[in-house]
Amino acid sequence: MSRVDYQFQTVTRIYTINLTTGVGVNVLKRLHLLFILLIAIVVLSACGDSNEEDADSDETDDEKWEEIQNEGELVVGTSGTLIGGSYYDGEEESEDQLTGYEVETMREIAERLDLDISFEIIGVDNVMAAIDSGRIDISAATITDKREEDFNFSDPHKYSYVTMAVREDDNSGIDSLEDLEGKAAGGGATTIYSQIAEQYGAEVVTYGNAPNEAYLRDVHNGRTDVVINDYFLTKFGVAGFPDFDIHLHPDLKFHPTETGVIMPKDADVLKEEINSVLDEMREDGTLSELAIQFYEEDASQVPEGEIEEVEGLEL
């Protein structure tokens, strides 16, 4: 029983007793007034508690955004190894040569939020730990149900699907997902791509934050059989090494994916700010322009055509 219910019942009981025992009208009026005052005090107290809880909640939600505003800077995690998405446009690995769709999208977000930006080079397997520790504020990541349990995501700024890099002469003996059984697949330890490989019986060979060349060279020389990855990244990775005996699998496209900005779970205000900017970038065509610039296709739009779903993934 709540405090209000208890006090209501107590006063009502007194009021009823006095009616049955013939207490004067003036006394009853006083009790009636007392009852009204008591209820008002309890309601105001409850509202005060609620307001305090709301204030605490707002403080938690605002904490990350206020921290970023105070610093005047967004710290972004990115790989720097993925052609088209995040890579160095030149031999020198300096921040001013870091570019790609993910990098330039983050720069545009920061500029529209009136913030400076800095990048931390970090492998995909370490992004979530880096957000938890506060080493970085945000990054780009594939949105999954499992990740949304522990982190906040913006609306998607990239839509894609999964495909494979295989040997060109025989498609590495892979004509369907079921043919992954017993194959060696190069990939990151915690990616959705490696989970797909494992689900279909492949052995995953992990590399850390290695460049595309390391993954793809191993398919070429037979150390591994396949690299399962995002369509856009695989397309440009393969095109970057024309001397390798590899190509994009001609028939397999599966598991539609959405990429958004990942951030701490309680960063609700930061999420709202980023979503507002992404909406502007969609409406004025900036996202499409950046996607076409780096991917030669508009990755900011949902791809057309039939794409096979992969069930049972836990990421």
Side-chain angles (χ1 to χ4, degrees):
M1 182 185 299
S2 71
R3 183 171 58 183
V4 174
D5 291 338
Y6 175 78
Q7 290 169 335
F8 177 82
Q9 289 184 15
T10 302
V11 175
T12 303
R13 195 176 295 116
I14 294 170
Y15 189 83
T16 304
I17 290 170
N18 278 281
L19 281 174
T20 58
T21 56
V23 175
V25 173
N26 289 337
V27 174
L28 292 179
K29 286 182 177 178
R30 291 191 187 98
L31 284 172
H32 188 231
L33 179 61
L34 175 62
F35 171 73
I36 293 172
L37 289 173
L38 179 60
I39 293 300
I41 290 169
V42 172
V43 170
L44 288 172
S45 174
C47 289
D49 292 342
S50 176
N51 288 336
E52 287 178 9
E53 290 175 4
D54 289 344
D56 290 343
S57 176
D58 289 343
E59 183 179 346
T60 300
D61 291 345
D62 284 344
E63 186 176 344
K64 190 62 182 178
W65 175 236
E66 289 177 359
E67 174 190 321
I68 290 169
Q69 285 185 305
N70 289 337
E71 294 292 332
E73 180 182 62
L74 264 180
V75 181
V76 180
T78 193
S79 70
T81 62
L82 301 173
I83 298 172
S86 172
Y87 64 100
Y88 291 99
D89 187 18
E91 295 182 1
E92 183 181 349
E93 293 187 358
S94 60
E95 189 162 307
D96 62 348
Q97 291 190 329
L98 187 65
T99 192
Y101 178 65
E102 300 295 353
V103 171
E104 300 305 333
T105 297
M106 295 296 186
R107 284 194 171 120
E108 187 70 19
I109 288 171
E111 181 176 342
R112 295 191 188 208
L113 292 176
D114 197 25
L115 296 167
D116 294 331
I117 190 169
S118 64
F119 291 93
E120 287 277 337
I121 300 304
I122 189 167
V124 62
D125 291 335
N126 299 316
V127 162
M128 285 170 279
I131 289 175
D132 277 337
S133 70
R135 176 183 168 188
I136 61 175
D137 299 318
I138 61 174
S139 185
T142 303
I143 303 170
T144 68
D145 292 340
K146 183 69 173 176
R147 288 173 178 171
E148 286 186 307
E149 293 176 6
D150 300 315
F151 297 92
N152 248 340
F153 278 90
S154 73
D155 295 335
H157 61 272
K158 177 188 172 189
Y159 298 88
S160 187
Y161 56 88
V162 182
T163 187
M164 302 179 185
V166 292
R167 285 185 288 277
E168 187 170 8
D169 59 352
D170 64 350
N171 291 332
S172 298
I174 300 170
D175 296 315
S176 68
L177 289 171
E178 287 71 23
D179 291 332
L180 287 169
E181 179 84 35
K183 304 294 185 181
T190 63
T191 66
I192 193 169
Y193 313 113
S194 292
Q195 188 175 134
I196 290 171
E198 290 174 337
Q199 181 163 307
Y200 284 92
E203 177 189 354
V204 175
V205 179
T206 59
Y207 291 74
N209 194 36
N212 285 1
E213 182 178 4
Y215 288 91
L216 298 175
R217 183 183 296 277
D218 280 352
V219 176
H220 164 74
N221 63 29
R223 179 171 181 253
T224 61
D225 301 298
V226 60
V227 172
I228 300 173
N229 209 330
D230 172 81
Y231 160 69
F232 294 105
L233 299 178
T234 306
K235 179 179 78 167
F236 279 92
V238 167
F241 302 98
D243 294 335
F244 290 175
D245 174 33
I246 57 174
H247 71 159
L248 208 62
H249 199 292
D251 303 317
L252 297 181
K253 46 192 292 188
F254 49 94
H255 197 69
T257 60
E258 298 179 348
T259 298
V261 179
I262 187 173
M263 63 199 82
K265 182 67 174 177
D266 60 357
D268 294 327
V269 176
L270 176 60
K271 175 180 177 177
E272 290 174 6
E273 295 288 338
I274 291 175
N275 277 340
S276 178
V277 167
L278 287 174
D279 286 343
E280 292 176 4
M281 293 168 67
R282 285 188 198 93
E283 290 173 5
D284 66 22
T286 302
L287 276 181
S288 291
E289 290 173 9
L290 288 174
I292 293 169
Q293 176 185 345
F294 289 102
Y295 292 135
E296 299 177 355
E297 300 177 52
D298 192 353
S300 72
Q301 302 296 320
V302 178
E304 298 179 353
E306 185 176 345
I307 301 172
E308 180 182 354
E309 294 277 0
V310 177
E311 303 294 338
L313 300 176
E314 296 180 359
L315 275 175

